């Protein structure tokens, strides 16, 4: 990702990795998106996937992390419920029962890897620099469960420190 992220490169006329037509006069949409299309593309890349296909997900989280370093983007990014749900899905703690159901009709979603979890938690921590977001985060049961689970000694030390 370029410094300032692809969203910033898009706004500056550099194209950016997220593509799509930018907002009028080079202005970004709330949250730092160059366009609604770019937002949709990033959300699609955040979807759960197999470990051997996670590179687009990693790139999307890196782009999102770049956007989350800009204070003006903190509130709108966390207020985006669809983005928040996708981001928290990337933070899911490991499921000890994953793959053990012999009666499952469909293939289970693979849990995120530690790499995905660390990147997603780093985005959440950037967004937590905003007091308004922290007030909302305190009430989020999914986030609270994730942070408690990630503090378990079974996780990588780097992941426990972030959580």
């Amino acid at each position: 990702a370029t410094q300032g992220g692809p969203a910033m490169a898009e706004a500056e006329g550099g194209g950016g990795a997220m593509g799509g037509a930018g907002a009028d006069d080079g202005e970004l949409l709330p949250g730092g998106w160059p366009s609604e299309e770019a937002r949709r593309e990033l959300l699609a890349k955040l979807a759960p996937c197999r470990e051997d296909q996670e590179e687009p997900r990693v790139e999307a989280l890196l782009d999102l992390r770049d956007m989350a370093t800009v204070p003006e983007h903190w509130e709108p990014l966390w207020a985006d419920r669809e983005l928040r749900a996708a981001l928290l899905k990337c933070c899911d703690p490991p499921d000890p029962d994953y793959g053990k159901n012999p009666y499952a009709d469909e293939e289970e979603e693979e849990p995120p890897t530690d790499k995905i979890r660390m990147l997603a938690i780093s985005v959440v921590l950037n967004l937590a620099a905003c007091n308004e977001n922290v007030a909302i985060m305190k009430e989020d049961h999914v986030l609270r469960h994730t942070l408690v689970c990630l503090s378990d000694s079974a996780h990588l030390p780097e992941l426990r420190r972030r959580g």
Side-chain angles (χ1 to χ4, degrees):
T2 61
Q3 183 156 2
M8 300 305 279
E10 175 85 12
E12 294 167 0
M18 288 192 283
D24 292 341
D25 300 325
E27 290 183 27
L28 300 174
L29 300 175
W33 301 106
S35 67
E36 181 60 28
E37 179 184 341
R39 179 183 165 277
R40 290 268 161 227
E41 286 176 18
L42 187 132
L43 283 170
K45 290 178 183 178
L46 289 180
C49 59
R50 294 193 334 249
E51 185 175 353
D52 63 342
Q53 298 174 338
E54 76 177 4
E55 196 54 38
R57 199 175 193 192
V58 168
E59 290 173 13
L61 285 165
L62 289 171
D63 290 343
L64 187 55
R65 188 178 64 183
D66 285 348
M67 292 167 60
T69 61
V70 180
E72 294 80 29
H73 300 169
W74 293 341
E75 281 186 75
L77 285 173
W78 191 252
D80 183 336
R81 290 183 184 271
E82 194 175 4
L83 176 66
R84 184 187 320 170
L87 182 59
L88 292 178
K89 189 74 176 158
C90 291
C91 296
D92 274 352
D95 179 1
D97 295 326
Y98 172 72
K100 294 181 181 176
N101 183 357
Y103 304 108
D105 290 337
E106 297 178 16
E107 188 175 311
E108 291 181 80
E109 273 182 7
E110 284 192 35
T113 62
D114 285 340
K115 179 181 187 178
I116 294 294
R117 274 188 215 97
M118 282 194 275
L119 286 169
I121 289 293
S122 70
V123 173
V124 171
L125 291 176
N126 280 339
L127 297 176
C130 172
N131 290 332
E132 290 79 9
N133 286 351
V134 171
I136 297 167
M137 288 175 176
K138 283 191 226 179
E139 303 300 320
D140 192 311
H141 299 289
V142 175
L143 178 58
R144 197 170 24 208
H145 170 76
T146 297
L147 294 176
V148 168
C149 289
L150 292 178
S151 67
D152 187 339
S153 63
H155 295 294
L156 294 173
E158 297 84 6
L159 198 53
R160 285 197 318 269
R161 281 192 288 260
R162 289 177 192 241

